[in-house]
Amino acid sequence: MLPSVIIVSSEAVPFSKTGGLADVSGALAVALKRAGCKAALFLPFYRETALGGFEIENTGLTVKAPLAGRVITAEVLRTSHEGVPVYFIRCDEFFDRTYLYGTPERDYFDNLERFTFFSRGVIEALKARGFAPDIIHCNDWQTGLVPACIKDIYGLDPHFTNTKTVFTIHNIAYQGIFPQNGFFALTGLSERLYASDGMEFWGKLSLLKAGLVYSDAITTVSRTYSEEIQTIESGCGLDGVLRERKAVLHGVLNGVDYDEWNPETDKLIPTNFSVRFMSGKAECRKALLKEFGLKAKVSTPVIAMITRLAEQKGFDILLDAMSKLMDADVALLILGSGEARYRLLLEEAALRYPKKLSVKIAFDKRLAHLVEAGADIFLMPSRYEPCGLNQIYSLKYGTIPIVRATGGLEDTVKDYSIGKGTGFKFKDYSANALIDKVSEACSVFKDKKEWGALQKRAMSEEFSWERAAGEYIGIYQTIVGSTPKT
Ligand code: ADP
């Protein structure tokens, strides 16, 4: 029998999104269902969800959880997405806000309360609803307390005797770290969990570490990243914990939702196209240049980025490389949102090179599809990248990726050499390495025959959720029925 699975996430497409976590949580639940698992998804009920026009019903259930001397109550709402039941924990005090985790300037001050409550609320909702799943699959620090609660607070609860937890790291740099002073008590967990072999992290408490220590299996979103995070350089202080838990750590490369990201059927682009009929791509290119207010000859490559504005995404080397890049015969356009400091630097650069660089500060789904469809080259110079999704979308749209060879970028892009490969990879995290790769890609771009063949190879690549769901099910099956960890 296939395991029954609850996916717990702080965001999921189509209900809420700040990044790749949302694409993955939404698509994985659907893929598990398609593979034959009983699967359901649990999310917070944000303002974004409330305003999204979804048909959501109230189950009539309310759940309560203690929090810092108060008892907080939430409603449990329900809808269905592609046949997967989706439950929302509705507590407006915590989730009816403009942003999911914080403003562009800073995180919300009460994130510990918000996600402690969400974690407890999900577990209480499972009990109230009479669900005793084989697997609770948690994602990132926001849900790191779920495995800790299942082992500690609910350790003797017969409802969860046969329930195992899986914890997926989508990005180890985001750890949910909070000061200890009085805050640990807020979680409701036993004092003994605040220890160096528990969730203590350099005198503070780490929700990510809680997920890593108390889950029955750990996964991350590419094989290369699963190795990188076990090193001092890339483990963000948790490499030792991960080396200790190496036996239960797996790298499962994300899939892509080709119902959403497919140039043949994409409803958000002006003209559809396919590997055999590429003329539509030229139309999308024209529309893209118009939308970004740039002009470029057919022979000038249009290079694009869609990105969170965060240090991880390589802005320091990009900005260092900018003046040399702008000397080349290219047009560069960037769609991004996030940290104010990068916004200012990019906007400043766009003022310096108005004819060749255009920056749009927005989080805009339609534009993201247009960029994928219309650009010639997709640039991802990430310092690190757990999996990365845009380079995979780019492959399908014949938008050739130039990536830094790290994490999932290493695992999904095959380096170009004449007649081979699907993109361009550089190893050194430096402006020079980036410039060298861009100029190599630009010179291949001038050879229309070679570029067309490269696009054809890229567009034939498949990163299906079916394969990823199969790997997850294999991992679930290894822990279901195994003896509980003490
Ligand atoms: P991360 O999760 O680190 O941000 P990923 O590449 O894994 O990076 O996923 C990013 C997801 O968010 C992709 O689906 C991408 O299209 C989307 N995205 C990022 N920035 C924007 C933006 N400014 N507008 C629209 N979509 C965006």
Side-chain angles (χ1 to χ4, degrees), residues 168-180:
T168 296
I169 307 163
H170 295 264
N171 191 333
I172 203 164
Y174 297 88
Q175 302 195 341
I177 291 181
F178 300 92
Q180 148 61 346

Side-chain angles (χ1 to χ4, degrees), residues 17-21 23 171 254 261 306-308 312-313 335-337 360 362-365 367-368 372 380 385-391 393:
K17 172 164 171 173
T18 66
L21 169 62
D23 297 86
N171 191 333
N254 287 333
W261 295 97
I306 303 170
T307 179
R308 272 187 299 117
Q312 168 198 346
K313 300 295 179 180
L335 170 64
S337 67
K360 272 199 195 296
F363 194 93
D364 186 320
K365 185 169 154 175
L367 270 183
E372 286 295 1
M380 248 168 125
E385 196 61 70
C387 175
L389 291 171
N390 279 114
Q391 83 283 8
Y393 305 152

Side-chain angles (χ1 to χ4, degrees), residues 143-395:
T143 59
L145 286 181
V146 173
C149 290
I150 291 287
K151 288 254 151 66
D152 181 47
I153 300 172
Y154 299 87
L156 297 176
D157 189 327
H159 190 88
F160 295 111
T161 308
N162 296 316
T163 297
K164 295 285 156 70
T165 54
V166 173
F167 185 79
T168 296
I169 307 163
H170 295 264
N171 191 333
I172 203 164
Y174 297 88
Q175 302 195 341
I177 291 181
F178 300 92
Q180 148 61 346
N181 311 344
F183 283 92
F184 182 75
L186 195 151
T187 64
L189 292 162
S190 313
E191 274 293 328
R192 69 186 163 80
L193 273 68
Y194 186 74
S196 59
D197 61 353
M199 52 191 287
E200 185 262 350
F201 186 69
W202 301 103
K204 296 188 172 162
L205 76 127
S206 161
L207 268 51
L208 186 79
K209 192 175 171 211
L212 299 183
V213 172
Y214 296 109
S215 56
D216 298 296
I218 304 168
T219 74
T220 190
V221 290
S222 67
R223 192 193 48 77
T224 296
Y225 194 60
S226 76
E227 284 161 10
E228 287 171 350
I229 56 180
Q230 294 180 56
T231 65
I232 295 185
E233 298 74 33
S234 306
C236 297
L238 289 169
D239 45 293
V241 177
L242 288 164
R243 284 195 300 274
E244 228 166 83
R245 301 220 65 205
K246 193 184 168 114
V248 296
L249 170 62
H250 311 264
V252 180
L253 190 71
N254 287 333
V256 158
D257 182 356
Y258 289 116
D259 290 341
E260 184 177 356
W261 295 97
N262 180 351
E264 291 186 47
T265 52
D266 193 329
K267 291 192 179 61
L268 296 174
I269 60 176
T271 316
N272 291 113
F273 59 93
S274 69
V275 82
R276 279 179 297 123
F277 298 102
M278 288 294 276
S279 56
K281 186 164 173 74
E283 293 303 312
C284 293
R285 188 185 193 268
K286 276 187 208 148
L288 175 66
L289 285 168
K290 189 165 174 221
E291 187 109 19
F292 275 76
L294 288 177
K295 290 201 168 77
K297 295 187 298 269
V298 177
S299 58
T300 303
V302 175
I303 305 178
M305 293 176 74
I306 303 170
T307 179
R308 272 187 299 117
L309 301 180
E311 198 217 346
Q312 168 198 346
K313 300 295 179 180
F315 288 106
D316 46 357
I317 60 170
L318 177 74
L319 288 158
D320 280 355
M322 194 60 88
S323 72
K324 285 219 172 108
L325 283 180
M326 293 292 104
D327 285 344
D329 178 23
V330 299
L332 175 61
L333 52 92
I334 300 174
L335 170 64
S337 67
E339 290 176 36
R341 60 183 168 142
Y342 293 118
R343 192 193 73 208
L344 293 175
L345 289 167
L346 289 172
E347 284 178 340
E348 224 173 74
L351 287 177
R352 244 176 298 139
Y353 307 103
K355 291 200 170 132
K356 300 184 90 170
L357 170 64
S358 173
V359 175
K360 272 199 195 296
I361 304 298
F363 194 93
D364 186 320
K365 185 169 154 175
R366 183 192 64 82
L367 270 183
H369 282 250
L370 180 62
V371 171
E372 286 295 1
D376 298 306
I377 292 173
F378 195 88
L379 180 61
M380 248 168 125
S382 305
R383 182 186 282 276
Y384 67 90
E385 196 61 70
C387 175
L389 291 171
N390 279 114
Q391 83 283 8
I392 311 182
Y393 305 152
S394 299
L395 290 168

